[in-house]
Amino acid sequence: MRWREMVPLGLLLLVLFWGSRVSPRFLDAPYLLDSMNLYVETGLLAVGMTFVIMCGEIDLSVASTTVLCACVAAKWCPPGCPPSLLVLVCVGAGALLGLVNGALVAWARVPSFLATLATMAAFRGVAQAWMGPYSAKWPVLKGLDRAHVVGSAVPWPPVVWLVVAALAGLLLHRTVYGRWVAAVGTSPVAARFSGLPVERTKLIAFTMTGALAGLAALFLGSRLGVVRHDLVRGLELEAITAVVVGGTSILGGQGTMLGTVTALLLVAAAKTAMGVAGVKPEVQVTVVGVLLVGAVLAGNMSALVRRRPARA
């Protein structure tokens, strides 16, 4: 682990220490694990966002994708349908929406900021036009967040998130595709001249991010029991914060899945500790913003440190 990725780990330890001083209940393992249920959707979005940002791109539409997938599942899946059908609809719809983003960026050559800014509005607009001002009941799997691994106090959603993150980490760090992602993010021109499939690499990254947003929709609907078009506004910013605080360069080419997971745990622990301490939500948002600024400054300092030996 590089020192840049050790920053969130050190901050996480500090937050755990501070939280334990605020309330002895904070370090209660079942309490912390249950609190993680609230951040599983952000965690899944952050896993996909790591691939997109390492490609040198950005995806602002992931929260809208999650909402639209949840609306599709609530409308199309009848009450009591098989859970496998619900998973298939959520993940399939997310992958299709991610493919749209990928096609706009990789084939139509639209800058990802503009493309996903447009689809962010479009996807949520479709959900609003379809659902209207009403809520729709979630067909099955309601209360998934309260299901625990048999014989333990460990809830299933964080376990699923960690398994997904571990598999994504293997894909990013142990496969040819992961090396393509790093090369494309470092220099797409050099990657193209080296014969790497730049467009296909970006297309896969956006499609995978959309599929994970669909999986997040499954947990969102199961946790709330109902879905609306205006849910999870701003969730994309929390996911981007976790990725950047975890040491992934916003310019692409560098990053690790372990850093993203550690940073998400840091954000979750910080917000939980502030909640225990009675800190107002608007102040919590400010603290998360400070973490993001600190991570960017740490990245700049890291770049300066790397350049010094070369100049000497």
Side-chain angles (χ1 to χ4, degrees):
M1 179 180 283
R2 297 171 300 175
W3 80 272
R4 185 179 176 181
E5 292 146 2
M6 292 181 69
V7 172
L9 179 60
L11 290 173
L12 174 61
L13 295 176
L14 284 176
V15 168
L16 291 176
F17 175 75
W18 177 68
S20 67
R21 305 296 295 177
V22 172
S23 170
R25 190 189 171 206
F26 177 73
L27 285 185
D28 182 54
Y31 174 72
L32 281 177
L33 289 169
D34 285 337
S35 298
M36 275 305 300
N37 279 328
L38 302 175
Y39 299 94
V40 167
E41 293 101 47
T42 310
L44 290 170
L45 299 186
V47 168
M49 192 73 76
T50 303
F51 286 89
V52 171
I53 293 180
M54 280 193 66
C55 281
E57 306 291 350
I58 196 77
D59 189 346
L60 300 176
S61 69
V62 285
S64 299
T65 301
T66 299
V67 166
L68 185 52
C69 291
C71 292
V72 169
K75 282 288 188 180
W76 286 1
C77 295
C81 71
S84 56
L85 174 63
L86 194 62
V87 174
L88 185 64
V89 169
C90 285
V91 176
L96 185 60
L97 297 174
L99 183 64
V100 171
N101 284 331
L104 288 172
V105 173
W107 292 339
R109 303 297 173 92
V110 179
S112 58
F113 179 83
L114 296 177
T116 57
L117 185 66
T119 53
M120 177 178 70
F123 293 165
R124 198 173 286 275
V126 170
Q128 184 174 6
W130 198 13
M131 302 289 290
Y134 308 106
S135 301
K137 290 185 66 175
W138 194 246
V140 292
L141 289 176
K142 180 182 176 182
L144 179 63
D145 58 312
R146 293 189 292 275
H148 292 75
V149 177
V150 178
S152 73
V154 180
W156 271 111
V159 173
V160 173
W161 168 58
L162 288 174
V163 170
V164 170
L167 294 175
L170 289 175
L171 178 64
L172 185 61
H173 303 299
R174 292 288 185 272
T175 66
V176 173
Y177 177 73
R179 291 194 288 275
W180 289 354
V181 169
V184 169
T186 302
S187 174
V189 176
R192 188 170 285 109
F193 278 112
S194 300
L196 300 185
V198 176
E199 286 74 22
R200 196 197 321 164
T201 301
K202 293 183 179 181
L203 194 68
I204 292 173
F206 277 99
T207 304
M208 187 163 47
T209 302
L212 289 173
L215 186 60
L218 178 73
F219 286 101
L220 177 71
S222 302
R223 180 164 60 84
L224 299 180
V226 295
V227 294
R228 286 174 52 91
H229 68 83
D230 55 353
L231 292 173
V232 295
R233 288 188 185 275
L235 203 64
E236 66 279 353
L237 297 182
E238 287 192 10
I240 292 171
T241 299
V243 175
V244 176
V245 170
T248 299
S249 171
I250 197 70
L251 300 177
Q254 297 179 18
T256 64
M257 195 57 66
L258 180 60
T260 297
V261 170
T262 306
L264 195 279
L265 292 175
L266 167 63
V267 172
K271 295 183 78 170
T272 302
M274 287 187 286
V276 170
V279 178
K280 295 180 179 178
E282 54 268 28
V283 178
Q284 296 182 22
V285 173
T286 304
V287 171
V288 172
V290 170
L291 286 176
L292 181 58
V293 172
V296 173
L297 291 177
N300 291 341
M301 289 175 63
S302 174
L304 287 174
V305 169
R306 285 199 302 272
R307 288 191 194 111
R308 279 181 182 171
R311 288 179 179 175

